Amino acid sequence: MAEIAVPGEVLGDRYRLERPLDAGGMAIVWRAADTVLDRAVAVKVPKRGWPERHTKRLRQEAKAAAGLNHPNITGVHDYGEHGGVPYVVMELLDGETLAARLSRGPLPWDEAAATCARVADALSAAHASGIVHRDIKPANVFLTSVGVKVLDFGIAFTGPSASGAPVLGTPAYIAPELLDGTPPSPAADVYSLGVVLQESLTGASAADAPTLPPDVPGEVAALCLRCLNPDPEARPTAPEAARVLAEAAGVQLVAPPAPATGVSDARGSAAPPENPTRILDDPLPEDDRLPQGTRPSHDERTQPGDPLPDGVPSPQEARGDSPHGGRGLRGTVGRAAARRPLAVAGAAAGAAAVVAVLLAALSPDSSRDATAPPEASPEPTTAAAPVCAVDYRIDGTWPEGFQATVRITNLGDAEIDGWELGFEFPDGQAVTQLWNGSRSQDGASVTVRAADWNRSIPPSGSAEFGFLGRQDGANGSPSRFTLNGRECRS
């Protein structure tokens, strides 16, 4: 039976379909060309026989995913209807699904923990916005060269279920309480995450009751069992699962948003903030400008009375009021006061010595041709090796405009926590819109600052941002980049 869409067809006078990439139960994902921005995208189009009621579901998917700004959630660019057929335009991913990877065998435990930590982090963002995914499974987790992406918010739950509504999801990954008619909750997603984690570690689903490999750390095994607990109240929250798995695997997660003002439920999940969206060009929140080493990790922001991390001074110590009587400034003053008589005597002796030297210098017998010792010649310096590399790529051009992607790679041995990239356009170009960061421009000089979620770049890791620009004919690439004031290789 012929499908609704065919290669070469242009949807919405903009998206030209090229070839199918994947097919699910209700839709086909196509590789397509965005003829306006001259870039490759993925377009989800329903299969023939698509029920009319599912049009609303596809629109719901677009709205749910487009409202979530998280690096581990597939970005949605557009939604439209072409001849009565709905379609969703998404970022095109290069890689494979977790299901395809698991078909070749289980993952090493640290890789499985890192992957599921990022899935849990994406779920944390969705749950904070009042969205339950409802279909977390390996086929909806995509592995790319730059990270993990959660796919398919097509059956995402955003409100109360209608009485007698069907249970949606994939049977092997559905939480048991949903089969009893309980409305979907964040805990149901966590159960599905536990099934995915167990399958990633063992290569078998939870239905087969597999035994975890002996090298799996105890905290990872314990978390997996908690996620699979039949009692939803006994499961961890998505933020807790993300934190435990990330710590075990040694990976860094996205910084959590500022706590929202709202009513919390019994599990401690705050109601979605009234205005969760921040304009990309806004300055970073003050919390994201903390010095390196003092920035709280995911789900571990300190509260009054909590012990502070090692190396972080308390407010009393910062003022000098050390509770230990020896670390703060006032403690130092106190010790100095105890030695004051000795210090006064030493000062008097020092003053007498200074007077003697002055008298000797003014004496007629003093030598007038004494020469100062020769200055030490400066040691030769060598140029420091670059700590970063920058890849600047033009993704597409059109009359008076262009799109570019910039990738920063950390070549050093230490993590870069908070970055600011500077460069100059050679041909008078101007940035008109930027994502994954904020920007300022003064003439040809451009400064891009990290977004709150990609401010840290581990050794050999990278951060990426993109932008739209204005150009007038010539569109040369910048030849020099500086990261936090230091030269980068380009």
Side-chain angles (χ1 to χ4, degrees):
M1 180 172 58
E3 289 297 341
I4 293 177
V6 295
E9 186 172 1
V10 179
L11 305 182
D13 296 325
R14 178 171 180 175
Y15 306 105
R16 185 173 58 250
L17 302 182
E18 294 180 347
R19 58 184 174 85
L21 295 174
D22 193 19
M26 298 183 296
I28 298 176
V29 178
W30 290 76
R31 180 187 175 94
D34 181 344
T35 60
V36 174
L37 296 181
D38 192 21
R39 62 177 175 177
V41 294
V43 178
K44 177 180 284 190
V45 181
K47 289 183 174 181
R48 181 167 295 281
W50 172 272
E52 183 63 29
R53 66 182 184 276
H54 288 173
T55 296
K56 180 179 179 181
R57 181 178 297 170
L58 193 62
R59 187 185 304 116
Q60 177 179 325
E61 172 185 3
K63 291 178 66 176
L68 299 173
N69 182 18
H70 192 282
N72 298 122
I73 295 176
T74 306
V76 170
H77 300 322
D78 197 5
Y79 170 86
E81 295 185 13
H82 178 79
V85 177
Y87 60 88
V88 177
V89 183
M90 304 169 288
E91 64 175 312
L92 182 66
L93 303 177
D94 183 18
E96 65 177 350
T97 65
L98 178 59
R101 169 60 185 85
L102 293 178
S103 68
R104 302 192 296 272
L107 300 176
W109 78 260
D110 53 346
E111 188 178 338
T115 298
C116 290
R118 294 186 168 102
V119 174
D121 206 33
L123 291 175
S124 300
H127 296 168
S129 296
I131 296 173
V132 180
H133 187 285
R134 289 208 288 183
D135 199 20
I136 293 298
K137 58 185 179 181
N140 282 337
V141 177
F142 205 85
L143 310 178
T144 77
S145 59
V146 295
V148 175
K149 295 282 188 176
V150 176
L151 310 174
D152 201 356
F153 279 76
I155 61 173
F157 176 78
T158 57
S161 294
S163 177
V167 177
L168 300 177
T170 304
Y173 303 90
I174 291 178
E177 67 271 14
L178 299 185
L179 300 176
D180 296 331
T182 302
S185 69
D189 278 349
V190 172
Y191 180 90
S192 301
L193 174 71
V195 180
V196 172
L197 175 59
Q198 185 176 53
E199 190 170 342
S200 299
L201 292 167
T202 65
S205 67
D208 298 327
T211 301
L212 296 182
D215 63 336
V216 175
E219 61 270 27
V220 175
L223 180 88
C224 185
L225 291 177
R226 289 177 60 205
C227 290
L228 295 173
N229 196 304
D231 180 5
E233 295 297 323
R235 297 171 200 152
T237 62
E240 181 186 355
R243 177 178 56 80
V244 171
L245 293 173
E247 289 178 354
V251 299
Q252 187 174 22
L253 299 176
V254 176
T261 302
V263 180
S264 297
D265 63 16
R267 293 174 58 80
S269 300
E274 292 182 2
N275 183 19
T277 304
R278 183 167 65 84
I279 303 300
L280 287 176
D281 290 323
D282 280 354
L284 292 178
E286 290 298 325
D287 189 41
D288 288 328
R289 300 179 186 176
L290 295 173
Q292 183 171 358
T294 65
R295 188 161 175 265
S297 62
H298 196 347
D299 203 38
E300 293 182 331
R301 295 183 184 273
T302 56
Q303 302 295 327
D306 288 350
L308 292 170
D310 292 339
V312 181
S314 69
Q316 294 88 350
E317 290 173 314
R319 294 194 305 267
D321 302 331
S322 171
H324 304 294
R327 287 287 186 184
L329 178 60
R330 294 183 185 179
T332 304
V333 172
R335 291 194 303 272
R339 297 194 300 269
R340 190 167 293 150
L342 179 61
V344 171
V354 171
V355 171
V357 170
L358 289 175
L359 291 175
L362 296 175
S363 170
D365 297 331
S366 62
S367 174
R368 297 182 180 274
D369 57 351
T371 58
E375 296 183 1
S377 56
E379 296 183 2
T381 59
T382 58
V387 296
C388 54
V390 174
D391 176 37
Y392 181 95
R393 183 179 74 248
I394 301 292
D395 298 320
T397 59
W398 55 93
E400 300 183 357
F402 69 101
Q403 178 178 341
T405 299
V406 180
R407 174 174 293 185
I408 307 166
T409 301
N410 182 1
L411 302 180
D413 297 327
E415 178 182 77
I416 298 172
D417 187 16
W419 54 264
E420 182 176 292
L421 185 74
F423 59 90
E424 291 191 4
F425 282 126
D427 297 315
Q429 302 101 313
V431 177
T432 58
Q433 180 181 346
L434 185 140
W435 50 92
N436 296 349
S438 61
R439 101 268 185 185
S440 60
Q441 183 167 355
D442 183 9
S445 299
V446 179
T447 301
V448 178
R449 297 172 182 84
D452 53 358
W453 58 264
N454 70 347
R455 56 177 286 120
S456 297
I457 311 177
S460 302
S462 62
E464 191 173 272
F465 64 89
F467 64 88
L468 300 179
R470 185 175 61 249
Q471 50 93 6
D472 187 17
N475 189 25
S477 299
S479 59
R480 179 175 176 267
F481 297 86
T482 59
L483 187 71
N484 296 344
R486 298 186 64 177
E487 197 87 11
C488 289
R489 190 176 72 200
S490 60

